[in-house]
């Protein structure tokens, strides 16, 4: 288990769900981690669990859609380890509402959450990677980049879909900008994943809808957080050296 031995990886939104699963997977592969999240107590639990795997980890607690906090996260990586090999822009989420009921505040909140932290952390990490002419950036898009039938039918996910389509566009442009520096930029687009916070809502939709998330997924089940973490690990690893500007679906088929 040494695919990430001594590689320094920054993971945003590492307290829960896919960020936490990614941190644990990377720790098991020998990475040194810099973890950021807005929830301090839950982040401390993730950190204790990665340290138990013999991983060296630094943490920054705060709102990573704020420029100063995103800057602190990248600075923490450089101060502690002197380099950044990988950045996982994982933090994200949604305030859903049908379009005729959605407030401007919720629309802005969702776009900010999914796009601003990704922009800021990439903006601050890129010069450090460019100086060493190496680096891997992986961003969390979603199957929702093409619309999400169950969400649209029940609670309205237009803002979320827009923001995750935005992540797909972001990685395609930034991959070209950073190609000269040997830095790859990709996205992972999960389907319905059984995380601690999203899983229960997906199950409820499955019970109440004819075309619920499991029914419309060819593999017929929710994905596991570890299955998404495995895809992120691959895109961060040496094995993915000739892949850039790609959004990899981890969605149980299409
Ligand atoms: N779970 C799914 O089914 C699914 C599917 C597709 C895409 N995704 C995407 O994967 C990513 C992770 O999803 P998840 O299900 O693990 O979500 P989650 O809500 O369980 O975890 C998100 C993490 O981000 C943190 N966070 C939220 N706002 C923050 C902020 N402003 N600053 C710092 N940290 C903040 C939260 O505290 C949490 O630890 C998100 O980008 C999400 O949109 C998830």
């Amino acid at each position: 288990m040494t695919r990430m031995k001594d590689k320094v990886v920054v993971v945003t939104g590492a307290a829960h769900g896919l960020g936490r699963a990614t941190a644990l997977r990377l720790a098991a592969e020998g990475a040194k981690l810099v973890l950021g999240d807005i929830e301090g107590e839950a982040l401390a639990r993730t950190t204790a669990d990665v340290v138990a795997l013999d991983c060296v980890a630094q943490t920054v607690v705060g709102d990573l859609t704020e420029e100063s906090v995103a800057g602190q996260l990248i600075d923490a990586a450089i101060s502690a380890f002197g380099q950044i090999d990988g950045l996982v822009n994982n933090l994200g989420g949604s305030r859903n509402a049908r379009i005729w009921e959605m407030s401007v505040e919720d629309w802005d909140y969702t776009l900010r959450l999914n796009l601003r932290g990704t922009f800021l952390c990439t903006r601050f990490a890129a010069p450090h990677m460019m100086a060493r002419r190496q680096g891997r950036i992986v961003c969390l898009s979603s199957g929702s980049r093409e619309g999400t039938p169950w969400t649209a039918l029940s609670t309205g996910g237009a803002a979320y879909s827009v923001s995750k389509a935005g992540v797909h566009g972001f990685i395609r442009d930034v991959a070209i900008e950073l190609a000269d520096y040997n830095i790859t930029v990709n996205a992972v687009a999960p389907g319905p994943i059984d995380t601690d916070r999203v899983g229960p809502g997906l199950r409820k939709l499955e019970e109440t809808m004819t075309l619920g998330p499991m029914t419309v997924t060819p593999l017929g089940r929710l994905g596991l957080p570890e299955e998404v973490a495995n895809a992120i690990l691959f895109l961060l690893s040496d094995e993915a050296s000739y892949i850039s500007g790609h959004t990899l679906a981890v969605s149980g088929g299409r």
Side-chain angles (χ1 to χ4, degrees):
M1 303 287 262
T2 56
R3 284 164 75 190
M4 298 298 292
K5 189 163 170 38
D6 294 332
K7 297 255 169 76
V8 178
V9 185
V10 177
V11 183
T12 72
H16 293 278
L18 303 183
R20 175 182 156 79
T22 299
L24 289 167
R25 188 72 184 88
L26 294 173
E29 292 289 349
K32 297 174 178 172
L33 295 176
V34 184
L35 308 175
D37 205 285
I38 201 165
E39 291 191 19
E41 270 183 36
L43 186 62
R45 280 196 291 278
T46 299
T47 308
D49 291 343
V50 300
V51 168
L53 294 169
D54 282 338
C55 170
V56 190
Q58 296 284 321
T59 58
V60 170
V61 177
D63 181 350
L64 287 162
T65 68
E66 294 286 347
E67 188 176 356
S68 60
V69 181
Q72 275 172 41
L73 184 70
I74 301 306
D75 287 350
I78 297 302
S79 308
F81 303 117
Q83 66 191 59
I84 299 173
D85 298 288
L87 167 65
V88 182
N89 285 310
N90 164 75
L91 86 85
S94 185
R95 282 185 190 159
N96 280 13
R98 291 185 179 111
I99 198 66
W100 62 92
E101 293 166 336
M102 182 170 287
S103 66
V104 171
E105 190 193 359
D106 286 353
W107 176 271
D108 287 347
Y109 172 87
T110 301
L111 265 63
R112 179 182 174 111
L113 192 57
N114 290 300
L115 292 170
R116 204 163 191 263
T118 293
F119 156 64
L120 289 170
C121 291
T122 304
R123 164 74 186 82
F124 293 133
H128 298 289
M129 293 179 171
M130 290 162 74
R132 294 174 60 233
R133 299 192 68 80
Q134 67 178 69
R136 297 261 193 275
I137 299 172
V138 180
C139 304
L140 269 288
S141 179
S142 165
S144 300
R145 74 193 187 284
E146 298 181 281
T148 321
W150 55 86
T151 309
L153 267 173
S154 58
T155 54
Y160 185 69
S161 294
V162 161
S163 61
K164 292 304 186 180
V167 171
H168 174 65
F170 178 79
I171 62 104
R172 289 179 66 97
D173 271 28
V174 178
I176 294 169
E177 292 178 35
L178 294 179
D180 273 352
Y181 298 90
N182 191 35
I183 298 165
T184 67
V185 188
N186 292 291
V188 167
I193 309 298
D194 198 3
T195 54
D196 50 352
R197 300 208 292 197
V198 177
L202 292 169
R203 283 178 206 291
K204 197 164 175 204
L205 286 173
E206 183 67 23
E207 284 164 18
T208 53
M209 293 180 64
T210 313
L211 295 176
M214 292 186 226
T215 305
V216 301
T217 299
L219 286 177
R221 63 174 176 85
L222 302 181
L224 301 173
E226 296 73 25
E227 292 176 305
V228 178
N230 283 337
I232 295 170
L233 167 65
F234 167 64
L235 290 172
L236 289 170
S237 73
D238 292 342
E239 295 151 27
S241 49
Y242 201 52
I243 302 172
S244 196
H246 182 72
T247 295
L248 175 62
V250 183
S251 57
R254 61 183 292 273

